Amino acid sequence: MTKSTDIKRAFKAAFPYTIPIFAGFWFLGLTYGIYMNVSGFSFLYPMLMSLTIFAGSMEFVTVNMLLGSFNPVQAFVMTLMINARHLFYGISMLEKFRGTGLKKLYLIFGMCDESFSINYTAEIPPDVDKGWFMFFVTLLNQFYWFSGSTLGGIFGSLIHFNTEGLDFVMTAMFVVIFMEQWLKDKRHTSALLGLGVSVLCLLIFGADNFIIPSMAAMLILLTFMRKPIENREEAAES
């Protein structure tokens, strides 16, 4: 099998997984491009930021930073707080990124919530190269965001509609991903543990600050409980 055949097969396997992301990213990207346009920025700003930053929440926050006074320390701290969850994503993907060669550099740069969810949970066919599969998942998702942001920036002044509520598309998508993972697993120990920790942290830290403590708590608990969970699953299968 030639390398070009491997690449084509990986693209065909990855593309269907990204179709739900397209709907969410394109609408949110359009919203972001329009927001940049009405804030007085050329379409070049959302286009270049979607290529270099590629962090939806941070890109929206960047608009206010660009309109305010120059403060690199504040920008650094804000970026770290908003995207700190990616530290946990990276730890979870250490094993999966192993052996992907130079593609690993782009996989690390382009990892967003949606790409992480797909690459971590997808059942990659045995005849598909996992490195190219994850590469195309990441590339396609960034392309969806890039194209939506750019078009929103170009045609923002011509589009007039109420975009309130569009961000719920991404919430609905994550619910679907969670349900697919729930149905796939025979035992739901990890999922129930994650839900319980999240609810507890939500009650303790509030809606604005519970994400990072939740992820830290889940990482610690699942690290210590990994062996018991695996042993229980192996016993159930045997």
Side-chain angles (χ1 to χ4, degrees):
M1 187 183 296
T2 63
K3 185 175 181 180
S4 61
T5 303
D6 288 340
I7 294 174
K8 290 179 181 178
R9 181 167 293 182
F11 178 85
K12 290 180 180 179
F15 176 68
Y17 281 93
T18 68
I19 293 175
I21 314 298
F22 168 74
F25 268 23
W26 222 64
F27 280 110
L28 283 178
L30 284 171
T31 305
Y32 169 63
I34 294 170
Y35 179 45
M36 288 290 287
N37 180 274
V38 299
S39 298
F41 294 99
S42 162
F43 77 93
L44 292 174
Y45 280 83
M47 182 180 74
L48 293 175
M49 286 201 291
S50 63
L51 283 174
T52 57
I53 300 176
F54 188 42
S57 302
M58 193 60 219
E59 288 181 50
F60 276 97
V61 174
T62 303
V63 179
N64 292 326
M65 291 185 177
L66 291 173
L67 293 173
S69 57
F70 179 69
N71 192 334
V73 175
Q74 180 191 34
F76 172 78
V77 173
M78 184 70 69
T79 304
L80 184 62
M81 290 177 59
I82 292 176
N83 293 310
R85 65 191 184 280
H86 287 236
L87 296 172
F88 303 100
Y89 293 171
I91 294 173
S92 301
M93 296 299 290
L94 284 175
E95 184 64 32
K96 290 185 176 292
F97 284 173
R98 185 171 297 171
T100 56
L102 292 176
K103 292 186 287 294
K104 182 190 293 186
L105 299 176
Y106 178 67
L107 292 173
I108 294 171
F109 162 77
M111 189 195 309
C112 60
D113 299 344
E114 295 74 19
S115 297
F116 166 77
S117 298
I118 294 174
N119 288 333
Y120 188 80
T121 61
E123 293 184 355
I124 304 174
D127 59 341
V128 172
D129 182 273
K130 72 169 187 176
W132 281 114
F133 176 90
M134 293 188 292
F135 175 84
F136 282 121
V137 166
T138 307
L139 181 66
L140 286 167
N141 286 343
Q142 183 171 14
F143 175 73
Y144 301 150
W145 180 260
F146 163 78
S147 60
S149 301
T150 303
L151 290 175
I154 294 174
F155 299 109
S157 59
L158 305 177
I159 301 175
H160 301 284
F161 66 95
N162 186 3
T163 60
E164 184 178 356
L166 280 178
D167 53 347
F168 184 74
V169 172
M170 306 309 294
T171 303
M173 184 197 67
F174 278 115
V175 171
V176 172
I177 292 174
F178 174 80
M179 292 304 299
E180 287 181 351
Q181 190 66 17
W182 178 277
L183 294 172
K184 187 187 300 181
D185 291 339
K186 294 181 179 179
R187 304 181 68 88
H188 309 297
T189 306
S190 299
L192 292 172
L193 183 64
L195 287 173
V197 168
S198 299
V199 171
L200 182 62
C201 290
L202 176 63
L203 295 174
I204 295 174
F205 298 101
D208 296 330
N209 303 302
F210 82 101
I211 294 180
I212 296 177
S214 297
M215 290 187 169
M218 280 187 275
L219 177 64
I220 294 171
L221 287 173
L222 290 174
T223 298
F224 282 105
M225 296 180 64
R226 178 180 176 181
K227 283 296 181 182
I229 292 174
E230 290 179 348
N231 293 337
R232 195 178 304 167
E233 289 178 350
E234 290 175 359
E237 292 175 358
S238 60

